[in-house]
């Protein structure tokens, strides 16, 4: 933690105050009233020695002549003109008075920590510069995520600098936080608020703590200690996107209310019923990593990969990666699971169960799935995202029959990432309504007034609770109904621990001192500390005998300021004590706790291996089969799903995530009603009710959707892969209280679908519904923030006349007027094939590449000679992207934004295709037009050695380095945009407005979502997230991916300092380090050993648009599917 | 005299003018109080100019984001307008230089106004590359001026830089050519003027005395400039076409562009000359100088160049198919049948189909038809540039980046405003300078031989004078 002010300085300050110099002094002499100083001070203006000495002998006339006057006038005017034409005002820069030991300006420091938000978990390394956390990297020592990250983890650093964060505790009255309009005015003190809250609590108070999943052993210990003082306390854990049924089913089947550990890497056949395990389900970073390891193609002959079958109605991120998708309506999920159970049971000689029936066509497919599973016994995995207890029990039974327990899933390292159940929170609502709850504490992240299916009821019940306290960092819907808000720290300011899986611990350590405390505010305080203070916990007991921090005050303790700096000292000691008691004894590697602690703090992770057999399955499958969902006869059903960026709604004040397009529908800033797409057999694609006819022109329709009697207005998006007769809409949007007045960028973005969710007989939340009606278009959406329309590359369908399979893209490539966004299949952008035809694919790629290279050799400027002379000499940077490993999760996109200070532009601007992302993930559909496959293609500057952008720039603002980098010289750029036009990959971005508020003109500073106060990015707090190694671009300038040139430079400097050659993987780009599946590898082409060299040998590699001779530096590896053709029939 | 009159050639100036009448007719508009028509036109034009200034100021103050360009479509109305105006600026120099070298004497009736039009059109064109950068104060970066940055030069590989040279050269030569022609005529105006006007015109005419030496030098300079300007007519639009032809974008990257652009430029230039001449001759009563002969000749040029352009359009389509290159094929497929199909239809019907009516002599000589046609051609040529620029960019290689474009009000007022700028300059021009080259038209007065035969034969100077008054 940086020391912002040193103690010595403070003492001097106090002396200065005594001298009544208004706090201003020059040097120690003045402070000490040194006589020599007083003497010189008295005569300060009496001498003019320079003039005196010069004018000796009359050599200088000190009077100004008319000529002099004119000279000065001219100079003055000239200087004023020059000064006035300076472009950018310099903002404050404060140097260190005393440099902290651990900080070297210009050199980043990394701290191991963990990103935790409810059940989201990612062990991370926090990159700090000059004391500011600016970037999140994955922790490669973690056995869970293996260095991968998610978009949420990447964006979490921005939340630290959220201008909506509360700078201290506040009272809340009538939905308003009692905060002075004057931001400089200090709010109530912690002592005041503590006193008021404690005054309202008595030993017998019935206290309920509402939280999302808590994985912290220390926090749970703190709850226990709190409970010691207030015995009538209960912790109610729930999750906004619930996995309640899994916990209940495992309780029923194995007597353990946990989520088992899954091993997707060990499964050859993966069947997922609506579980988005690559995007949002339980532990997506971990699962994505496992999934990709079993799907990597290293050689063409004898290549192997897992087969992934997804059963769903909506195209989820996971479904989009699947080899086969079987489309069933949300209400048919139960029937499908029963069908699979019976099919597997028939194959393995178990008894059948009777439950909901699936329609025969689909049942046939399920039968084939069962055959596959049975022939891969012990090497398969069946999961379901369902929140129906019966269905989950059947899933357990299926895995049991297939002998998967102990192989592809087990309970030894069971996941703790979902602990919330749905019943207790409903009990709480009832208890609150009945007036049986005296005090309600809502943990940070939990927002029951928004995300419960019966949130309205909860809000009403809040009125009957005597004391309501929220620990949220930022305002939200629940805070508005509380009496007090006692904000906790951001995780980057906190001490904490995580047990994400049984025996797999990691630590959270602060990477910055709590920000607001140092800005002269009351500041935030960690939840644990607040609770224990209210419980009058004996804080001395863990403070190692230091002064009782509760008694410390300015008057009695001269070190008051200093000890405030050690906020967290208590919680740090408290946690350490807990670790000494609980975790230290579990290991044997370290003799002393000190060594153990230092090691864990350094590594960030600590693992205790658990071994043991899976308990026997004891579920009642017949009863379970009776509990499954009943297929509905409704014409139209809708499913509600979680997106990778918004979660259950907790991230909806983070502009990086708001602006991250959903990987599948490629829309940002809102949730969009996905409607199915059909084909008329002729020249046109059709859509549900003919909606969105002009989507390709950026126009979308607004419709009224009525579900359960309530109607809401939704923006429509056409969605390939959406089952006919179903719709889908994302959860977590439509929040109304995401921040302070005038600063809340997340307010009213999208539609709140929680009121449309329901509870089933077991009290579990159901994320689907039958749709009463969808109106015709009621209005036009004028801000349709979609960055890519439904592009396809080789969709097939049946010719209605001949019955043969034909290419629908080419058939529907466009019709007059409408112009559908179909693509021509022959473009050398995407190559994909099936596992069995891998050799054909490899030949096809080879053929196309040979042809392209032959074309390229017909040139007056032979590239090979040039390459030999220049690029083969030193470094030649290049990249490899494995399209088979890329799942489209978007972590790289957010990582790139964080690393490169890429501006956020807001919904209106995204709708105008003004988004600034340097790295985007293109998505193309192929295969059957109703049930297509998807390929994701991360697309960034290709760093062409024969770059079309470079030769067209009239001022040479973009040019090529001898290491093959395509470079931008921002202050040379005059903004003709010719380079952007001539870029075949369309990766260049223009600063249409002053998105970064770096410009001279104030008029074009842009707000993101109608916020009235200072524009996003202009606030000094927000600007702390900027990476000082990367220039902030002002308006009128083109920018693009630089291959993280600042990281290359850093790597080269490190190597130089260490007097060695740069090694492979010394330099990793931000996208590479963020990727959970290792799809991206960056490196030096001239380095013939190492990971990149190995990847470059793959016969499935190709260059995008190789035939136009750009000599690009990014190699893509073709997408391969392991499709079971029978399932498509 | 009812007998059939058969002059050797149709007279180039009708109405049996005498030399004095020519001077009177042409110089008097600069001396009279402006007519109501002129005043009205001027108000409209200046309003347009005000819109232009506002639109540009708004763009500079707010940023290019006030336009609807996006990550995919980096140029649209801005560069469309630029190319359109440059194209219009072609006819003047073509008429002055190439027709002079080819001894096409009919050119003298229209060359002055056409040259003025060229200059004003190039002024309008020159605005757009500057405005479209947004930060116009950095425009000096594109000039290869000596500097202390290394020195850091401009990128001589960039067609945009070639544009800078091509257009500034063209503008300079055209301006010189135009002004050279004006010198003796300014002297004529000076000789008729009094007071301050006399002083001004004296200055403008460089003290021209009409001595033989002056005439000799004037003739020589005109010829030299004509020689210089001739290749420029061909080079300017060739180089403008390089902006597109040297790129890698399918639909832009075509070798046919230079001749196709030049033909298109002459086509649109002549159309604009027609538009202006028909209005000018009506308002300033110059029907005797700008005759139906002129109109017909120019219509012939329009027919010829329009057909060349049409052949070019069809050739493009053929080559796209013949090349077997998917991207090229798609680009043209998209041009014809894509979301901007209406722009393609507009281009084809205005540029290729409609000029075909000029195969009929009656329509060629019909002033009203010609006027309507000239507007059509200008619309068609604007669409041509829009089709090439915006349609092509909107859907190129990667379908993921395809987009759509509609202009914002700012872009629209800048375009309309540029017309205001053009007409403001032109209207000032007709008030201060002789619209027809007095000295030159006098040289062709008797070219038709009609002073010897026909209704104008054997009129004395005195008779003509009386006829006028």
């Amino acid at each position: 933690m940086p020391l912002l002010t040193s103690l010595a300085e403070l003492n001097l300050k106090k002396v200065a105050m005594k001298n009544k110099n208004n706090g201003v002094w020059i040097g120690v002499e003045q402070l000490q009233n040194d006589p020599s100083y007083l003497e010189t001070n008295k005569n300060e203006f009496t001498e003019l020695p320079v003039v005196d000495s010069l004018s000796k002998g009359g050599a200088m006339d000190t009077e100004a002549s008319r000529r002099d006057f004119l000279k000065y006038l001219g100079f003055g005017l000239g200087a004023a003109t020059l000064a006035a034409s300076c472009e950018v005002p310099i903002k404050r820069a404060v140097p260190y008075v005393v440099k902290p030991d651990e900080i070297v300006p210009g050199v980043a420091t990394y701290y191991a920590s963990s990103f935790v938000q409810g059940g989201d978990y990612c062990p991370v390394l926090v990159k700090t510069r000059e004391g500011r956390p600016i970037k999140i990297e994955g922790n490669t020592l973690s056995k869970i995520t293996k260095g991968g990250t998610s978009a949420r983890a990447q964006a979490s650093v921005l939340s630290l600098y959220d201008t909506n964060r509360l700078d201290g505790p506040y009272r809340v009255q009538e939905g308003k936080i009692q905060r002075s309009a004057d931001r400089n005015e200090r709010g109530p003190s912690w002592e005041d608020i503590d006193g008021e809250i404690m005054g309202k609590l008595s030993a017998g108070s019935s206290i309920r703590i509402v939280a999302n999943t808590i994985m912290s052993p220390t926090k749970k210990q703190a709850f226990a200690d709190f409970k010691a003082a207030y015995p009538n306390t209960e912790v109610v854990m729930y999750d906004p996107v619930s996995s309640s049924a899994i916990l209940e089913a495992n309780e029923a089947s194995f007597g353990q209310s946990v989520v088992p550990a899954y091993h997707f890497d060990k499964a050859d056949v993966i069947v997922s019923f609506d579980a988005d395990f690559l995007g949002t389900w339980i532990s997506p970073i971990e699962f994505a990593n496992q999934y990709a390891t079993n799907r990597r193609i290293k050689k063409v002959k004898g290549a192997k990969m897992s087969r992934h079958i997804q059963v769903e109605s909506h195209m989820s991120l996971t479904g989009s990666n699947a080899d086969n998708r079987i489309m069933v309506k949300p209400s048919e999920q139960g029937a499908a699971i029963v069908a699979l159970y019976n099919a597997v049971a028939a194959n393995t000689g178990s008894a059948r169960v009777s439950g909901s029936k699936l329609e025969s066509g689909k049942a046939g497919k399920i039968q084939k799935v069962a055959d596959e599973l049975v022939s891969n016994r012990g090497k398969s995995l069946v999961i379901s995202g369902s929140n129906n207890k019966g269905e989950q029990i059947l899933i357990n039974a299926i895995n049991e029959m297939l002998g998967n327990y102990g192989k592809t899933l087990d309970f030894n390292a069971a996941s703790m990432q979902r602990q919330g159940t749905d019943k207790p929170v409903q009990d709480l609502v009832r208890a609150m309504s009945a007036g049986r709850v005296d005090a309600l504490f809502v943990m940070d992240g939990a927002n029951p007034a928004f995300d419960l299916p019966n949130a309205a009821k909860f809000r009403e019940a809040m009125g009957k609770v005597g004391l309501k306290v929220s620990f949220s960092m930022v305002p939200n819907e629940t805070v508005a109904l509380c009496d007090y808000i006692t904000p906790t720290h951001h995780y980057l300011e906190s001490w904490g621990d995580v047990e994400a899986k049984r025996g797999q611990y990691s630590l959270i350590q602060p990477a910055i001192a709590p920000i607001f405390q140092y800005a002269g505010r009351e500041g935030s305080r960690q939840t644990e500390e607040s609770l224990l203070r209210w419980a009058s916990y004996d804080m001395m007991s863990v403070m190692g005998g230091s002064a009782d921090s509760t008694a410390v005050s300015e008057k009695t303790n001269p070190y008051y300021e200093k000890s405030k700096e050690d906020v967290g000292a208590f919680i740090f000691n408290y946690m350490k004590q807990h670790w000494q008691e609980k975790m230290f004894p579990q290991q044997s590697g370290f003799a002393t706790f000190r060594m153990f602690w230092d090691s864990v703090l350094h590594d960030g992770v600590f693992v205790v291996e658990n071994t043991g057999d899976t308990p026997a399955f004891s579920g009642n499958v017949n009863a379970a089969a009776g509990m499954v969902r009943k297929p509905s006869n409704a014409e139209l059903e809708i499913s509600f799903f979680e997106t990778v960026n918004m979660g259950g709604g907790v991230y909806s004040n983070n502009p990086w995530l708001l602006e991250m397009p959903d990987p599948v529908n490629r829309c940002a800033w809102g949730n969009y009603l996905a409607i199915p797409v059909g084909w008329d057999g002729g020249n046109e694609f059709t859509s549900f009710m003919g909606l969105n006819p002009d989507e390709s022109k950026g126009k979308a329709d607004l419709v009224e959707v009525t579900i359960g009697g309530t109607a809401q207005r939704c923006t429509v998006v056409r969605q390939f892969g959406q089952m006919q007769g179903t719709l889908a809409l994302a959860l977590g949007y439509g929040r109304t209280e995401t921040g302070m007045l005038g600063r809340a960028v997340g307010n009213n973005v999208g539609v709140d679908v929680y009121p449309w969710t329901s509870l089933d007989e077991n009290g579990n939340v159901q994320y689907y519904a039958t749709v009463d009606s969808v109106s015709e278009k009621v209005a036009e959406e004028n801000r349709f923030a979609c960055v890519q329309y439904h592009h396809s590359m080789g969709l097939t369908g049946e010719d209605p006349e001949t019955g043969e399979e034909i290419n629908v893209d080419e058939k529907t490539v466009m019709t007059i007027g409408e112009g559908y966004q179909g693509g021509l299949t022959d473009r050398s952008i995407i190559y994909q094939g099936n596992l069995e035809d891998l050799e054909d694919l490899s030949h096809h790629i080879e053929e196309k590449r040979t042809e392209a290279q032959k074309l390229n050799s017909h040139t007056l400027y032979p590239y090979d000679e040039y390459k030999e002379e220049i690029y083969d000499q030193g470094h030649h940077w290049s990249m490899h992207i494995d399209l088979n490993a890329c799942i489209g999760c978007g972590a790289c996109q957010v990582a790139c934004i964080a690393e490169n200070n890429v501006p956020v532009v807001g919904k209106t601007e995204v709708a105008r295709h003004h988004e600034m992302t340097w790295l985007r993930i293109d998505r193309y559909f192929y295969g059957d037009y109703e049930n297509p496959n998807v390929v994701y293609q991360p697309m960034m500057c290709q760093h062409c050695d024969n770059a079309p952008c470079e030769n067209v720039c009239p001022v040479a603002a973009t040019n090529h380095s001898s290491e093959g980098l395509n470079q931008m010289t921002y202050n040379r750029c005059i903004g003709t945009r010719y380079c952007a036009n001539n870029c075949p990959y369309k990766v260049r971005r223009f600063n249409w407005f002053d998105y970064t508020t770096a410009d001279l003109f104030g008029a074009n500073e842009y707000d993101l979502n109608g916020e009235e106060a200072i524009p996003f990015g202009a606030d000094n707090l927000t600007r702390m997230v900027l990476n000082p190694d990367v220039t902030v671009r002002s308006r009128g300038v083109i920018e693009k991916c630089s291959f993280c040139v600042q990281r290359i430079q850093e790597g080269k400097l490190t190597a130089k300092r260490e007097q060695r050659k740069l090694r492979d993987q010394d330099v990793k780009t931000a996208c590479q380090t963020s990727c959970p599946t290792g799809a991206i590898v960056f490196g030096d082409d001239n380095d013939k050993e190492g990971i990149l060299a190995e990847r470059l040998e793959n016969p499935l590699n190709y260059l995008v648009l190789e035939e136009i001779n750009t000599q690009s530096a990014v190699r893509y590896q073709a997408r391969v599917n392991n499709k079971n053709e029978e399932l498509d029939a | 005299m009812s007998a059939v009159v058969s002059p050797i050639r149709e007279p180039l100036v009708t109405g049996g003018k005498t030399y004095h009448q020519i001077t009177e007719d042409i110089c008097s508009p600069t001396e009279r109080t402006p007519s109501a028509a002129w005043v009205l036109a001027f108000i409209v034009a200046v309003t347009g100019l005000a819109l232009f200034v506002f639109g540009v100021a708004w763009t500079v103050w707010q940023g290019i984001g006030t336009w609807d360009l996006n990550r995919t479509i980096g140029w649209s109305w801005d560069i469309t307008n630029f190319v359109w105006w440059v194209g219009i600026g072609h006819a003047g120099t073509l008429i002055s230089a190439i027709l002079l070298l080819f001894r096409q004497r009919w050119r003298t009736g229209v060359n002055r106004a056409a040259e003025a039009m060229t200059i004003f059109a190039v002024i309008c064109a020159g605005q757009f590359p500057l405005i479209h950068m947004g930060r116009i104060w950095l425009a000096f970066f594109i000039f290869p001026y000596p500097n202390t940055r290394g020195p850091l030069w401009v990128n001589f590989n960039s067609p945009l830089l070639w544009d800078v040279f091509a257009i500034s050269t063209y503008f300079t030569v055209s301006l010189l050519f135009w002004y050279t022609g004006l010198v003796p005529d300014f002297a004529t105006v000076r000789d008729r003027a009094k007071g301050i006007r006399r002083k001004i015109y004296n200055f403008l005419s460089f003290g021209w005395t009409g001595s033989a030496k002056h005439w000799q030098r004037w003739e020589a300079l005109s010829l030299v400039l004509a020689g210089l300007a001739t290749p420029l007519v061909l080079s300017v639009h060739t180089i403008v076409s390089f902006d597109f032809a040297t790129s890698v974008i399918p639909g832009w990257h075509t070798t046919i562009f230079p001749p196709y652009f030049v033909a298109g430029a002459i086509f649109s230039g002549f159309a604009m000359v027609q538009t202006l001449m028909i209005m000018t001759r009506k308002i300033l009563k110059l029907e005797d100088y700008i005759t139906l002969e002129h109109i017909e000749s120019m219509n012939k040029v329009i027919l010829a160049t329009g057909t060349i352009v049409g052949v070019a359009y069809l050739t493009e389509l053929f080559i796209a198919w013949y090349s077997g290159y998917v991207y090229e094929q798609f680009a043209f497929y998209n041009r014809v049948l894509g979301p901007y199909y209406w722009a393609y239809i507009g281009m084809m019907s205005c540029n290729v189909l409609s000029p075909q009516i000029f195969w009929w002599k009656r329509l060629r000589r019909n002033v009203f038809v010609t006027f309507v046609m000239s507007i059509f051609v200008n619309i068609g040529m604007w669409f041509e540039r829009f089709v090439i620029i915006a349609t092509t960019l909107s859907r190129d290689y990667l379908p993921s980046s395809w987009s759509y474009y509609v202009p914002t009000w700012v872009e629209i007022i800048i375009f309309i405003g540029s017309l205001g700028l053009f007409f403001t300059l032109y209207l000032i021009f007709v008030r201060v300078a002789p619209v027809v080259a007095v000295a030159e038209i006098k040289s062709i007065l008797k070219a038709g031989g009609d002073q010897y035969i026909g209704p104008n034969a054997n009129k004395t100077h005195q008779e003509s004078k009386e006829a006028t008054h």
Side-chain angles (χ1 to χ4, degrees), chain B residues 186-207:
Chain B
F186 277 147
T188 309
V189 178
R190 173 199 62 193
D191 293 344
R192 294 157 57 90
K194 289 189 182 66
I196 186 84
R197 281 191 78 233
R198 190 182 175 90
K199 280 190 176 154
I200 293 168
Y201 282 104
N202 190 36
F203 175 77
L204 291 174
S205 62
F206 297 157

Side-chain angles (χ1 to χ4, degrees), chain A residues 54-95:
Chain A
L54 278 176
S55 60
K56 257 170 212 161
M60 187 176 164
D61 186 4
T62 50
E63 263 179 55
S65 63
R66 188 177 61 92
R67 188 182 270 259
D68 286 332
F69 171 74
L70 286 173
K71 270 195 279 185
Y72 298 143
L73 182 73
F75 175 77
L77 266 178
T81 316
L82 278 177
S85 62
C86 283
E87 244 190 56
V88 183
I90 293 167
K91 305 213 170 176
R92 273 180 304 162
V94 185

Side-chain angles (χ1 to χ4, degrees), chain A residues 87 696-697 787-789 791 793 813-817 819-824 826-829 912-915 920 922 924 939 948 950-956 971-978 981-986 989-990 992-993 1001 1003-1004 1035-1037 1104-1105 1107-1108, chain B residues 59-75 78 132-135 137-138 141-142 145 149 152-155 157-161 242-244 246-249 252 325-327 330 333-334 337-339 341 393 395-404 408:
Chain A
E87 244 190 56
S696 62
K697 292 179 187 171
V787 298
Q788 180 190 1
Y789 308 120
H791 299 290
M793 223 161 266
V813 71
M814 57 188 53
T815 54
I816 287 188
Y820 196 76
Q821 301 272 322
L824 287 177
D826 235 8
R827 293 171 190 254
S828 55
I829 298 167
R912 299 177 70 203
H913 288 176
H914 285 180
E915 78 276 9
R920 60 172 198 263
D922 289 344
Y924 299 101
M939 182 53 72
E950 287 168 15
N951 62 345
V952 299
C953 176
V955 292
N971 50 5
R972 180 71 176 160
C973 176
I974 54 173
T976 66
R977 300 185 295 287
Y978 197 176
N981 287 338
N982 207 23
C983 174
Y985 310 97
K986 288 288 172 280
R989 298 287 178 257
F990 185 68
W992 303 97
F993 285 116
F1001 299 92
N1004 46 31
R1035 87 160 156 126
V1037 170
V1104 172
L1105 305 176
E1107 67 275 22
I1108 53 174
Chain B
T59 305
V60 170
W61 185 247
Q62 296 277 331
I64 295 293
T66 53
W67 299 1
D68 219 9
L69 300 172
N70 56 41
R71 49 140 214 243
T72 308
I73 305 165
W75 291 343
D78 48 355
H132 96 298
M133 299 174 192
R135 297 175 302 156
W137 54 92
L138 294 181
F141 277 23
I142 55 173
Y145 62 96
R149 300 180 185 123
L152 178 61
W153 290 106
V154 288
N155 181 8
N157 291 329
S158 170
L160 274 192
L161 190 73
F242 286 168
D243 285 348
F244 309 104
T246 61
S247 78
V248 297
I249 303 300
W252 280 13
Y325 187 48
V326 284
Y327 303 102
F330 179 80
Y333 204 173
N334 182 48
L337 298 171
Y341 73 96
L393 284 177
R395 294 180 163 188
D396 64 345
Y397 288 104
L398 261 56
S400 67
S401 293
W402 291 354
S403 185
Y404 191 74
T408 62

